[in-house]
Amino acid sequence: MNTPIYLDYAATTPVDPRVAERMMQYLTPDGVFGNPASRTHALGWQAESAVEGARRQLAQLINCDPREIVWTSGATEADNLALKGAAMANRDRGQHIITSKIEHKAVIDCCKWLEQQGFEITWLTPMADGRVSPQAVAEALREDTLLVSLMAVNNELGVINDIATIGAMLRERGVLFHVDGAQALGKIPLDLGEMPVDMMAFSGHKLYAPKGMGALYVRRSPEVKLEAQIHGGGHERGLRSGTLATHQIVGLGEACQILSHTLSEEQAFLQQLRDRFLGPVLAEPGVHLHGAGAPSVAGIANLGFEGVDGESLMLALRGLAVSSGSACASASLEPSFVLKGIGVSDVLAQGSLRFSFGRFTTREQVDQAAGQVVESLQHLRQRGKLRRSTV
Ligand SMILES: *Cc1c(COP(=O)(O)O)cnc(C)c1O
């Protein structure tokens, strides 16, 4: 079978060969394989120095103090540490948490768990373009609101929330602000020196670093108190125990290093690819770009196809690796809860696909993909019409 054209970069990215090469130097007997916590020999010190180098690389990309970075196994764990950790450590400040209906499952499921622990959750409905309005957050705030959690960039839509405005309002009110930044890091500039955000979660495998690696930014001033969720050994200033995965960390650091001088150039390239893809596809009748009108990252386009069943379309597009909904939700044939959350009908949500482009996507691939989408659409509609006329 031919390898499909990969248009699912929002689900995961391949590891950049430069990142993989760097990681290899921290694995094998001739490499720096020591435990970064070993204080008694050079292999330990070298590993620790590599870990701290990577911490500086991430810190530089988001303009924060390296001491504000906690390494985790991914954004899911970072979201867990932020939400459960902050809720548990600051319970005396209130029991009310605000989030939205279209967050990543990592945030939604943490909030549901916290609900069982006695916290009260307000689930905001986003606007039709996929953004959560600062106004809606303001209206949901209460005296006992402890924490707000919203994503910077939605993983299914690519739409960018106004984190700066919402954060400024929350800072004034003394409410903690957690942001899932998994789809934002490496795609939009993030300056945590400026942004009034208290915690931010990141994932390596969305930015050409390996899976199973992530980080949580935790602000030092004003200081955010967190309760550790994983105990043992006291690594990461007691916030996340467990032997540090040197090769994974170095990989994430290298990926950040690459992005620190290529981010805007890469986004401009992806914007071109997206426009090139959308041109012919949107020219077809009954094709909707979900989240249109809102600012969005360049690499994601979520399209609804009227009168076409998503499953048949996926089948017709076997040559393309795309997704219906997010990777974790697409195992079920339920329409995407994100699309439903922004008011898209069940029928159109069912006939929707997410196309996402990345560093290794070529113009030829995009042209081929657009051609296949247009052809399949016309074919399926023709067939649908024929079938209707025979009944
Ligand atoms: C991918 C993703 C996650 C989960 O990250 P993992 O590193 O796979 O745990 C969380 N939030 C968003 C928005 C994501 O896109």
Side-chain angles (χ1 to χ4, degrees):
M1 202 184 118
N2 291 331
T3 326
I5 297 175
Y6 189 72
L7 296 180
D8 206 9
Y9 278 80
T12 196
T13 60
V15 172
D16 188 294
R18 291 166 288 186
V19 170
E21 195 183 322
R22 190 79 213 290
M23 290 174 65
M24 282 295 292
Q25 298 160 14
Y26 294 84
L27 289 164
T28 46
D30 57 338
V32 181
F33 64 85
N35 188 326
S38 292
R39 294 280 149 77
T40 49
H41 52 74
L43 278 166
W45 306 329
Q46 286 166 5
E48 188 194 20
S49 149
V51 163
E52 294 317 311
R55 208 186 296 275
R56 284 192 297 276
Q57 287 171 317
L58 170 54
Q60 200 192 345
L61 183 59
I62 62 175
N63 189 29
C64 75
D65 185 322
R67 290 171 298 179
E68 294 176 309
I69 304 288
V70 179
W71 299 124
T72 66
S73 64
T76 300
E77 188 193 328
D79 283 332
N80 271 262
L81 175 57
L83 290 164
K84 297 177 185 171
M88 292 306 177
N90 300 282
R91 219 171 177 153
D92 54 324
R93 287 167 62 176
Q95 303 265 344
H96 181 229
I97 296 169
I98 300 171
T99 187
S100 93
K101 290 179 180 161
I102 63 167
E103 297 304 302
H104 190 271
K105 285 289 183 194
V107 166
I108 292 185
D109 288 353
C110 279
C111 287
K112 284 186 179 163
W113 184 83
L114 286 166
E115 212 163 27
Q116 288 168 7
Q117 309 306 307
F119 289 89
E120 233 186 288
I121 318 287
T122 296
W123 305 93
L124 297 175
T125 302
M127 300 187 284
D129 67 10
R131 284 179 295 177
V132 173
S133 81
Q135 175 85 18
V137 178
E139 283 166 9
L141 283 174
R142 306 193 321 209
E143 275 304 308
D144 64 338
T145 305
L146 168 65
L147 171 68
V148 174
S149 177
L150 294 171
M151 64 212 317
V153 172
N154 184 276
N155 50 313
E156 288 192 30
L157 302 165
V159 160
I160 304 168
N161 267 323
D162 187 354
I163 295 301
T165 302
I166 296 170
M169 175 177 74
L170 297 177
R171 178 65 52 83
E172 205 168 283
R173 296 280 299 258
V175 174
L176 291 170
F177 191 22
H178 166 60
V179 174
D180 183 330
Q183 293 289 347
L185 184 62
K187 302 192 177 98
I188 56 174
L190 294 175
D191 181 347
L192 286 160
E194 288 290 324
M195 287 169 98
V197 167
D198 297 302
M199 295 165 281
M200 200 169 212
F202 304 115
S203 171
H205 73 99
K206 306 293 170 65
L207 49 120
Y208 312 96
K211 298 166 188 56
M213 185 60 216
L216 181 67
Y217 159 83
V218 185
R219 186 175 287 282
R220 281 169 66 89
S221 167
E223 194 195 353
V224 179
K225 289 206 174 57
L226 288 186
E227 208 169 285
Q229 302 298 306
I230 295 181
H231 304 94
H235 307 74
E236 297 296 276
R237 279 162 288 111
L239 282 176
R240 202 281 190 174
S241 289
T243 301
L244 293 172
T246 317
H247 62 299
Q248 299 283 82
I249 292 168
V250 162
L252 181 50
E254 183 70 18
C256 292
Q257 177 68 33
I258 292 170
L259 281 162
S260 69
H261 40 257
T262 55
L263 190 150
S264 55
E265 205 181 301
E266 190 159 285
Q267 289 304 299
F269 166 68
L270 292 178
Q271 189 67 54
Q272 280 180 11
L273 291 186
R274 187 176 184 261
D275 291 346
R276 203 177 167 105
F277 174 77
L278 287 178
V281 175
L282 285 177
E284 286 297 303
V287 181
H288 301 263
L289 176 63
H290 297 304
S296 136
V297 294
I300 299 180
N302 194 323
L303 296 173
F305 302 96
E306 260 178 48
V308 176
D309 159 53
E311 224 182 313
S312 315
L313 188 58
M314 279 278 261
L315 213 60
L317 294 175
R318 270 188 306 262
L320 307 182
V322 298
S323 83
S324 60
S326 67
C328 37
S330 58
S332 66
L333 289 171
E334 287 286 296
S336 147
F337 72 93
V338 171
L339 293 179
K340 285 175 75 169
I342 62 169
V344 174
S345 72
D346 275 12
V347 177
L348 189 58
Q350 205 102 52
S352 294
L353 294 175
R354 178 187 67 187
F355 301 83
S356 49
F357 314 96
R359 185 173 294 167
F360 306 108
T361 311
T362 63
R363 289 186 182 85
E364 291 71 35
Q365 289 180 324
V366 161
D367 291 345
Q368 253 184 329
Q372 284 183 31
V373 170
V374 169
E375 198 182 306
S376 305
L377 260 183
Q378 292 172 348
H379 177 75
L380 286 170
R381 284 184 172 147
Q382 202 61 39
R383 219 173 56 184
K385 249 186 238 140
L386 281 178
R387 199 178 301 134
R388 266 196 299 280
S389 63
T390 52
V391 279

